[in-house]
Amino acid sequence: MSDYTIPRPAAGNITDLIADDHRLFEDLMRDMRDVSADRDGARSAFAAVLIAHSEAEEEVVYPKLVRRDVIEGEEEHHGEKEHAATNEALLHLLQAKGTDTQKFDDAVEAVAEVLNHHIGEEEQTILNPAREDASEELRQQLGAGWAARRNELLEDGAGSLEQVESLVKQAYEDGLLPNDDQPS
């Protein structure tokens, strides 16, 4: 991934760790827009951290916050739907050949639109309740679990075109994405 090193924290407060990744997404999107940057390297790093981040949230964080009555099940489901929509936009970005095309630029903006919406909602409806209603001990426990799973996914090559295709296909099958948009 050339100039991009993805931070790999081992522990911390889950709300801080997730927010740190959100800022990393914003930095990488800025680089994908910059013709003087390593746009392909930024795209690869972005895909890897985005998939590892969201998969770890769905596996480790969301279910435990629901079980502890910190968030409602509908917030968990909404977060999963937004992850699916972001993954679908990411798939189009990964399918863009080269980084000097209008298709690439349009795909960056499509991902940015979906992801920025999700980040805003997640920080308000999931992270804020976790800051207020989850104990420091639980936030630390979730941070360690999420970081371990995220790092494992990064080691396993999260964000490959094949993996994102598989996640999007599964999202259609699970009803997280509307079937009328499904590619044939």
Side-chain angles (χ1 to χ4, degrees), residues 22-35:
H22 290 172
R23 303 302 75 84
L24 177 60
F25 297 149
E26 292 163 355
D27 290 344
L28 290 167
M29 282 190 287
R30 200 170 10 264
D31 283 355
M32 286 188 287
R33 291 180 178 115
D34 182 349
V35 296

Side-chain angles (χ1 to χ4, degrees), residues 66-83:
V66 169
R67 282 195 305 276
R68 296 286 183 99
D69 292 325
V70 175
I71 63 170
E72 301 288 326
E74 61 210 37
E75 292 301 334
E76 175 184 28
H77 182 69
H78 186 72
E80 290 171 353
K81 285 180 75 170
E82 288 189 344
H83 287 167

Side-chain angles (χ1 to χ4, degrees), residues 147-169:
R149 182 63 180 137
R150 175 186 172 277
N151 292 340
E152 177 184 357
L153 289 163
L154 287 169
E155 289 300 318
D156 291 343
S160 70
L161 177 61
E162 296 77 21
Q163 182 184 22
V164 176
E165 286 173 336
S166 176
L167 289 169
V168 169
K169 181 177 186 273

Side-chain angles (χ1 to χ4, degrees), residues 88-145:
E88 184 178 41
L90 175 62
L91 179 59
H92 297 298
L93 177 64
L94 293 174
Q95 290 171 332
K97 303 293 183 220
T99 59
D100 59 349
T101 65
Q102 190 62 49
K103 181 178 180 177
F104 177 84
D105 290 343
D106 291 347
V108 168
E109 292 315 308
V111 169
E113 183 178 335
V114 175
L115 183 60
N116 287 333
H117 171 82
H118 171 65
I119 287 171
E121 280 194 358
E122 184 175 70
E123 289 182 359
Q124 292 175 352
T125 64
I126 296 176
L127 296 187
N128 281 340
R131 286 181 184 104
E132 294 177 1
D133 301 332
S135 68
E136 178 64 25
E137 179 183 353
L138 176 59
R139 290 193 308 270
Q140 292 294 328
Q141 177 188 49
L142 288 172

Side-chain angles (χ1 to χ4, degrees), residues 5-68:
T5 301
I6 298 170
R8 295 178 192 240
N13 181 317
I14 190 60
T15 59
D16 296 336
L17 294 172
I18 288 174
D20 288 347
D21 264 6
H22 290 172
R23 303 302 75 84
L24 177 60
F25 297 149
E26 292 163 355
D27 290 344
L28 290 167
M29 282 190 287
R30 200 170 10 264
D31 283 355
M32 286 188 287
R33 291 180 178 115
D34 182 349
V35 296
S36 68
D38 177 5
R39 295 171 91 185
D40 195 48
R43 172 173 54 180
S44 294
F46 179 81
V49 73
L50 181 66
I51 294 301
H53 171 100
S54 60
E55 290 294 297
E57 279 182 343
E58 290 181 20
E59 293 174 22
V60 177
V61 179
Y62 290 177
K64 191 140 210 175
L65 290 177
V66 169
R67 282 195 305 276
R68 296 286 183 99

